[in-house]
Amino acid sequence: TSASVSEPASAAAVVVGRRDKSALARAFDDHHFVAVVDIRAPRGLDLAATTGQARRFRDGGAVAVSVPDYPRSGARASALALAALVERAGVETLLHCPCRDRTLIGLQADLVGAHAMGIRNVLLTTGSPARAGNYPEHTSVFEVDAIGLINLATRLNHGQDMAGQALGASTAFHIGATFNPFPADDDAEWDRLTRKIEAGAEFLVTPPVLDLEAFEPVLRRLRSLGLPVLAGVAMLESARQAEVLSSEVVGVRASDAVLARLREAGDQGAEAGRVTVEIIEWLRERADGLVCTWLHGTSDTAERVLDAVRPHLRGLASAPSEGKSA
């Protein structure tokens, strides 16, 4: 549960300021509009193409690449392993850390190892329960939820492990938390967000936005909390892709107007690109940045859309990363 890891006590270790943690953190401090783009581990052992894709996203203006966790779709490298390889290739990452598949001790070990390998930006989530998929015997762990995991990372940032023992130095994690804008229980979701922020969350991430009218009041409320907000953007290619995202991804709701526009288009690919850019332009005036996903799409589309919004990104990807010591 979220109470499994308590708030950190005072510690002698020096706490690293947010600005010194990562290029993403400095971009927030400098009020730059940023883009973060998903990459995915392929099935199998060869990750060279994926690290190359990460470099292209960086060169296209992304300040970092987001490394989600895909646990039940064939033999793939872990998000932690992929993020470490991408960092070694000179590209900053945002590592997703769900609670689903690891014990609390295992999560602590992953975080300490991630820090040792240069990873600073972490998105700490509860994670979705296991589905049957390719591995019907797979079960979920959930010894702790996102609130408890954020508390753990905050302890590490104060130079202590989950038992309060000194590490000898502080980690420098830049801690992100997720928010579902369209939950079944609105009050419970906002209460959990308050507890995530109290636990130490430093920036917020939403799922892809496909209904601007419904999302606008949610975003206003999120911005009132004082933390940077990375709004999700789907790199759309078709009506089918929008339908699948809306039905399968928690927190995604496609408006009837967007779906109708895509279904009725003579060239769905071209129309989907226009819809995506329009959503980005709307978010450009309201959010602090984007987390772009090409789930159920192609990396080529992601690169084209990133190129279209590159003038807004102010060359952030070229900034050297700080705070990379183990």
Side-chain angles (χ1 to χ4, degrees), residues 11 18 23 31-32 41 45 53 57 63 77 97 109 122 145 147 149 162 195 203 217 220 224 242 272 284 296:
R18 186 174 76 176
H31 305 290
H32 289 171
L45 304 178
Q53 181 67 66
F57 285 145
V63 68
C97 301
V122 289
D145 68 1
I147 299 166
L149 186 55
M162 65 184 187
R195 294 165 67 193
F203 65 96
R220 284 201 308 267
S224 73
R284 173 68 182 87
H296 304 298

Side-chain angles (χ1 to χ4, degrees), residues 5 8 99 111 123-125 144-156 175-178 192 195-202:
V5 181
C99 302
L111 286 173
L123 185 61
L124 307 182
T125 69
V144 70
D145 68 1
I147 299 166
L149 186 55
I150 293 169
N151 268 317
L152 170 58
T154 300
R155 269 189 176 273
L156 296 174
I175 302 172
T178 58
R192 283 184 56 78
R195 294 165 67 193
K196 290 176 183 179
I197 295 171
E198 290 172 348
E202 298 172 273

